[in-house]
Amino acid sequence: MKYENRKDEIIQTAALLFKEKGYSAVTMRDIAKAVGVRAASLYNHIKSKQEILSEIIIALAEQFTCGMNVIQDAEISSVEKLKRIVKLHVDITANNQNGMASLNNDWMHLEADLDYYLRLRKDYENDFRTILNEGIAKGELINFDSEVMLFSILSTLRLLYGWIPRREELNPNYLADKLSGVLLEGVIR
Amino acid sequence: MKYENRKDEIIQTAALLFKEKGYSAVTMRDIAKAVGVRAASLYNHIKSKQEILSEIIIALAEQFTCGMNVIQDAEISSVEKLKRIVKLHVDITANNQNGMASLNNDWMHLEADLDYYLRLRKDYENDFRTILNEGIAKGELINFDSEVMLFSILSTLRLLYGWIPRREELNPNYLADKLSGVLLEGVIR
DNA sequence: ATTCTAAACTAACAAGTGTTAGTTTTGGTA
DNA sequence: TACCAAAACTAACACTTGTTAGTTTAGAAT
């Protein structure tokens, strides 16, 4: 059972098209054709093109917020928290590669939900920053510029969506492990 | 002297708008208004909207190709080559933040030059891969999955464009140094 | 068999798209 | 001053956009 219902089918189909061409370049007629229906029929299930984008992005942003809250409250080392963040990104991305493209590239086309999205993203980044600074303070992490560390790790995790699909043979646990290794331990012997 | 001529002004202005909303969401009338002119007047300087995108992306792609060729031919260690790649990205991005957004997000809207762009990108990635594999073979780099290493480093470098502008106080040498540190040596003490 | 509702359809809209044709303005050179 | 080309302008084009109105179809419940 690939889709829960027609609305879900429309949203998932749209997410695929948004990933390939971006939100603005995809028309309601494109989505309709991919679903096998006329453009006007889409409006029996969704309110607007905007609503499709919002449902894709907000659902994902809330998954990240939720996952981060769990990690933050766990009583584990800072390094372990970083590993769980990597795992969080790998898991969410593996389950929704197409939607992650919209989250990364089309968030600025949100209208009603733009402020809400920006708040979620800012909070997420602040939580991430806090974990890094705690790790530095406790001596678990090298005392590099924590902004550079945040940017470096997060940008890799953000582009996972365009990379995972090409290596479907990999299971998420293996990938999260390897990625944690490279991101946290570096590449120099 | 900010612009070489009016064509250059149009292209740089367009690049800024493309970064903010994406190629497809920016209209010729948007570009014209930002330049301070009517849309039809743009066509005295450029052939089409497509041409603007091509000039932005291809110029940058060729800079990377050129830079990579120099690095590849240098007689230096693999680690030193990686550091020079980081510097290459920092320098090009610092000089063209807006254009880098198009290179990353709007390349799929290229038409005539799409194949050429894809070839340049593929060659660049292959050269990068070769440097990593040589480093592993010579024992300079940890024997991690080289595809994971390639993805991890390159994805960070690709998103520099959205991050550099927020820290204009940093000079490129300092940033390249810090970034090389985190990317190559990791963050764990 | 009849009813009814969800969901498909056709047709059309007003606004916006990239681009062209033809005309006027501008500012340096003869 | 007269000229001329570069570059601005106005007006319009053919087409595409998201969306709505009104109608028909399909299939489950009575």
Side-chain angles (χ1 to χ4, degrees):
Chain A
M1 171 195 47
K2 200 174 174 191
Y3 306 116
E4 289 179 16
N5 51 42
R6 197 113 239 216
K7 177 170 181 176
D8 183 51
E9 178 180 4
I10 290 168
I11 290 174
Q12 286 193 228
T13 303
L16 172 66
L17 298 178
F18 292 168
K19 175 177 139 194
E20 285 167 354
K21 311 202 300 171
Y23 174 75
S24 305
V26 174
T27 71
M28 294 303 281
R29 286 164 181 82
D30 290 335
I31 299 170
K33 178 172 268 183
V35 171
V37 114
R38 297 289 190 170
S41 303
L42 298 174
Y43 289 84
N44 287 317
H45 305 278
I46 52 106
K47 204 168 94 286
S48 64
K49 192 187 177 191
Q50 259 298 301
E51 189 203 21
I52 299 177
L53 185 67
S54 278
E55 297 238 353
I56 293 170
I57 292 179
I58 298 299
L60 284 166
E62 288 177 344
Q63 281 185 58
F64 279 106
T65 296
C66 180
M68 177 62 92
N69 286 339
V70 172
I71 292 169
Q72 222 176 6
D73 295 346
E75 300 205 351
I76 52 181
S77 70
S78 298
V79 169
E80 189 57 35
K81 284 183 181 177
L82 293 181
K83 287 183 182 172
R84 294 227 189 150
I85 289 175
V86 172
K87 184 75 165 61
L88 178 68
H89 278 258
V90 170
D91 287 343
I92 293 177
T93 304
N95 285 321
N96 202 334
Q97 293 148 24
N98 301 329
M100 285 302 297
S102 297
L103 181 75
N104 277 287
N105 303 323
D106 288 319
W107 58 266
M108 73 285 276
H109 298 114
L110 288 172
E111 291 167 12
D113 287 330
L114 178 59
D115 288 345
Y116 177 51
Y117 163 77
L118 289 175
R119 208 188 76 224
L120 291 182
R121 188 175 70 174
K122 193 176 169 192
D123 290 348
Y124 185 86
E125 286 178 8
N126 277 334
D127 292 344
F128 203 144
R129 221 183 309 266
T130 300
I131 290 173
L132 287 172
N133 286 327
E134 283 172 358
I136 292 171
K138 287 188 292 178
E140 289 182 46
L141 303 179
I142 298 176
N143 192 4
F144 273 139
D145 185 330
S146 69
E147 288 301 310
V148 175
M149 290 164 68
L150 174 64
F151 162 68
S152 168
I153 297 174
L154 205 43
S155 60
T156 295
L157 298 177
R158 280 190 173 137
L159 290 188
L160 266 174
Y161 78 90
W163 189 71
I164 283 188
R166 282 182 251 158
R167 346 186 79 218
E168 284 169 52
E169 73 279 2
L170 288 177
N171 89 0
N173 291 318
Y174 173 84
L175 177 56
D177 253 28
K178 288 284 175 193
L179 208 49
S180 290
V182 172
L183 287 174
L184 305 183
E185 294 167 33
V187 300
I188 296 179
R189 179 181 294 278
Chain B
M1 170 194 46
K2 199 174 175 190
Y3 307 116
E4 289 178 16
N5 51 41
R6 197 111 240 219
K7 178 170 180 176
D8 182 52
E9 178 180 5
I10 291 168
I11 290 173
Q12 286 192 228
T13 303
L16 172 65
L17 298 178
F18 291 169
K19 175 177 140 197
E20 284 168 354
K21 311 203 300 170
Y23 174 75
S24 304
V26 174
T27 71
M28 295 302 281
R29 287 165 180 84
D30 290 335
I31 299 170
K33 177 172 269 183
V35 170
V37 115
R38 298 287 191 172
S41 304
L42 298 174
Y43 290 84
N44 286 317
H45 305 278
I46 53 105
K47 206 168 93 285
S48 64
K49 192 187 176 191
Q50 259 298 302
E51 190 202 22
I52 298 177
L53 186 66
S54 279
E55 298 237 355
I56 293 170
I57 292 179
I58 298 299
L60 283 166
E62 287 176 344
Q63 281 186 58
F64 280 105
T65 297
C66 180
M68 177 62 92
N69 287 339
V70 172
I71 292 168
Q72 223 176 6
D73 294 348
E75 301 205 350
I76 52 182
S77 69
S78 298
V79 169
E80 190 56 37
K81 283 183 181 177
L82 292 181
K83 287 183 182 172
R84 294 230 189 147
I85 289 175
V86 171
K87 183 75 165 59
L88 178 68
H89 279 258
V90 170
D91 286 345
I92 293 177
T93 304
N95 285 321
N96 203 334
Q97 293 148 23
N98 301 330
M100 286 302 297
S102 297
L103 181 76
N104 277 289
N105 303 325
D106 288 319
W107 58 267
M108 74 285 276
H109 299 115
L110 287 173
E111 290 168 10
D113 287 330
L114 178 58
D115 289 345
Y116 176 53
Y117 163 77
L118 289 175
R119 208 187 76 225
L120 291 182
R121 189 175 68 174
K122 194 177 167 188
D123 289 348
Y124 185 85
E125 286 178 8
N126 278 334
D127 292 343
F128 203 145
R129 221 183 310 265
T130 300
I131 290 173
L132 286 172
N133 286 326
E134 283 173 358
I136 292 171
K138 288 188 291 180
E140 289 181 46
L141 303 180
I142 298 176
N143 192 5
F144 274 139
D145 185 328
S146 69
E147 287 301 310
V148 175
M149 289 163 66
L150 174 64
F151 162 69
S152 168
I153 298 173
L154 204 42
S155 60
T156 295
L157 298 178
R158 280 190 174 138
L159 290 188
L160 266 174
Y161 76 89
W163 189 72
I164 282 187
R166 282 182 251 156
R167 344 186 80 217
E168 283 167 55
E169 74 279 2
L170 289 176
N171 89 359
N173 291 318
Y174 173 84
L175 176 57
D177 253 27
K178 289 285 174 192
L179 207 48
S180 290
V182 172
L183 287 174
L184 305 183
E185 295 167 32
V187 299
I188 297 180
R189 180 180 296 276

